[in-house]
Amino acid sequence: MMRCALVVNPHSGRRRGDEVAAAAHTRLTAAGAEVVVVRGADTSGARAHLETVIAGGLDAVVVVGGDGALHAVLDLVVRHDLLLGLLPAGTGNDTARSTGIPVGDATAAVDIVLAGHERRLDVARTGEGVHVMTVVASGFDSKVNERANAMRWPRGNMRYNLAIVAELRAFSPLPFSITLDDRVIEREAMLVAVGNGPSFGGGLRICEGAAMDDGLLDVCIINPVSKAKLLRVFPRLYRGTHVSLPEFERHRVRSVTLSSPGIVAYGDGERLGALPVSAEVVPGAVRLLSPVPSP
Ligand SMILES: Nc1ncnc2c1ncn2[C@@H]1O[C@H](COP(=O)(O)OP(=O)(O)OP(=O)(O)O)[C@@H](O)[C@H]1O
């Protein structure tokens, strides 16, 4: 019998987490799984609770939430080599989007967990030991995040929209120093994103073409572009067709270090801290319960 921890983030996706978790609990139990619900007031509470459950013996961690909820427990899942299930309940859900796990159909997502197909995926590990499943991003994107996080009003997506408009007005290209494996390049850039997976921010395919099982990270650089052009081509991010623009530059590496004075990085939408940030790929570190097994 499978013993699994159902890690519920009650804050995910406007509180959809509890709803999805209740339905999943019923379905997993009916299928014969032993389910332990893990909840915490915040990420550290959830992690502490999960650690005690892991100590008691566990086969799988099933995360109910978005990329932030997965990010919070990813290092524990990897360290203990546990199976990972994902029941999307966030607003972005980029890991789910990139791996074919249905967003908005909780029953279908639970069935993928129950089917038990294991797919090995890479993970990006920062120099600080933080594990990132989707994208590490810095530059325009992290400036927008910093600005939005400092705003008290309004709430939700509108705060981001206002932060984007305000940041766009003030923004100019940033001086980056980027170490690609053992080669250093210098660039003035709008944004540098390091993709284990292709998308962040809810389907923005910034690192289009990044495969999560190729043993490599995609370092995607948006070189300087006028504000007018940035606004014009922004929608192409949702289709990933920006990669054909002359300002788009990509390098595939095993390790990378990003530096730019006064700039911070975000990973899986969570604040990682001030640059420099380094990341290396850990091939096949994640055992995702996936619609398709590893070949
Ligand atoms: N298990 C947890 N318990 C409590 N709080 C958590 C837990 N996991 C994450 N959090 C906090 O909740 C926030 C939101 O989580 P999450 O990212 O899952 O939802 P979302 O923002 O709606 O989705 P997405 O990241 O996919 O856009 C995170 O930034 C984190 O601070």
Side-chain angles (χ1 to χ4, degrees):
M1 183 176 63
M2 176 166 84
R3 186 169 134 90
C4 69
L6 198 60
V7 180
V8 187
N9 181 4
H11 308 299
S12 289
R14 300 195 198 86
R15 312 199 179 276
R16 222 164 66 81
D18 279 325
E19 215 176 287
V20 173
H25 193 290
T26 307
R27 202 166 172 82
L28 289 168
T29 310
E34 186 192 341
V35 180
V36 187
V37 176
V38 170
R39 292 177 67 96
D42 51 25
T43 51
S44 54
R47 288 173 54 85
H49 188 180
L50 180 59
E51 286 195 81
T52 60
V53 174
I54 291 173
L58 201 65
D59 303 303
V61 171
V62 178
V63 174
V64 183
D67 297 299
L70 172 56
H71 179 86
V73 296
L74 190 55
D75 65 322
L76 292 175
V77 172
V78 169
R79 195 186 323 147
H80 295 278
D81 200 28
L82 299 167
L83 284 165
L84 172 67
L86 184 56
L87 305 178
T91 42
N93 303 310
D94 288 287
T95 305
R97 288 168 199 269
S98 305
T99 54
I101 295 173
V103 175
D105 184 348
T107 307
V110 176
D111 286 347
I112 289 168
V113 170
L114 288 171
H117 298 306
E118 179 181 334
R119 182 177 168 207
R120 286 270 176 186
L121 298 179
D122 309 333
V123 73
R125 185 175 59 202
T126 73
E128 311 276 297
V130 177
H131 290 66
V132 176
M133 200 67 216
T134 58
V135 171
V136 173
S138 66
F140 182 71
D141 155 84
S142 58
K143 285 212 154 210
V144 168
N145 267 317
E146 293 287 278
R147 191 183 279 269
N149 289 342
M151 288 161 63
R152 285 159 174 268
W153 179 92
R155 297 185 70 82
N157 278 345
M158 194 37 101
R159 185 193 296 188
Y160 280 89
N161 295 339
L162 288 183
I164 287 173
V165 171
E167 196 52 53
L168 196 59
R169 206 174 288 145
F171 193 79
S172 55
L174 302 164
F176 274 94
S177 171
I178 308 167
T179 308
L180 302 165
D181 290 326
D182 42 23
R183 179 168 69 101
V184 181
I185 62 171
E186 313 276 345
R187 289 285 183 285
E188 292 255 309
M190 313 296 277
L191 182 153
V192 182
V194 178
N196 181 46
S199 83
F200 75 155
L204 288 169
R205 306 181 65 86
I206 185 77
C207 298
E208 174 71 6
M212 297 175 93
D213 56 3
D214 62 352
L216 295 169
L217 301 174
D218 285 34
V219 180
C220 297
I221 304 169
I222 307 293
N223 283 300
V225 45
S226 72
K227 287 172 186 173
K229 183 165 182 185
L230 191 66
L231 283 175
R232 198 169 67 245
V233 300
F234 186 81
R236 290 174 63 167
L237 278 173
Y238 283 102
R239 300 187 297 273
T241 55
H242 64 292
V243 299
S244 62
L245 294 169
E247 293 86 357
F248 180 85
E249 178 181 346
R250 182 208 309 269
H251 303 270
R252 291 204 162 110
V253 299
R254 291 198 165 74
S255 69
V256 60
T257 302
L258 307 179
S259 309
S260 184
I263 300 301
V264 304
Y266 278 70
D268 290 329
E270 306 294 313
R271 195 177 197 275
L272 296 178
L275 298 185
V277 162
S278 59
E280 64 172 341
V281 67
V282 189
V286 174
R287 301 169 61 203
L288 183 74
L289 290 165
S290 150
V292 274
S294 287

